[in-house]
Amino acid sequence: MTDPGYDWRLVVAPARGTISPVDVSEGTWLAAGSPLGSVRSRRQQVDVSAAYDGVLAEWLVHEGDLVDAGDPIARLYPKVAS
């Protein structure tokens, strides 16, 4: 199989808790800093955002899923410099 040349990156949960992703469709262009959701625990709520410009390729979680810190929550195709 030929490598399609995609250079996707994982967005990971910053903390342990229940994920609440934003309502953004796969294939949507996101600017760096765009909110992707939040992780809620008993003690805190931690926001998750895109670290770089790119396209949301795939959600890997659903509303209410339990995640640990470092668990993948989405795949993002970053903007490639030409």
Side-chain angles (χ1 to χ4, degrees), residues 33-59:
S34 295
L36 292 174
S38 61
V39 178
R40 292 186 185 130
S41 70
R42 290 183 179 173
R43 296 184 184 148
Q44 65 181 347
Q45 176 176 317
V46 181
D47 293 328
V48 181
S49 59
Y52 27 74
D53 296 340
V55 174
L56 179 62
E58 178 183 19
W59 282 111

Side-chain angles (χ1 to χ4, degrees), residues 9-36:
R9 302 267 173 21
L10 287 175
V11 178
V12 299
R16 183 179 188 173
T18 304
I19 189 78
S20 183
V22 295
D23 188 20
V24 173
S25 300
E26 293 173 355
T28 301
W29 172 260
L30 300 170
S34 295
L36 292 174

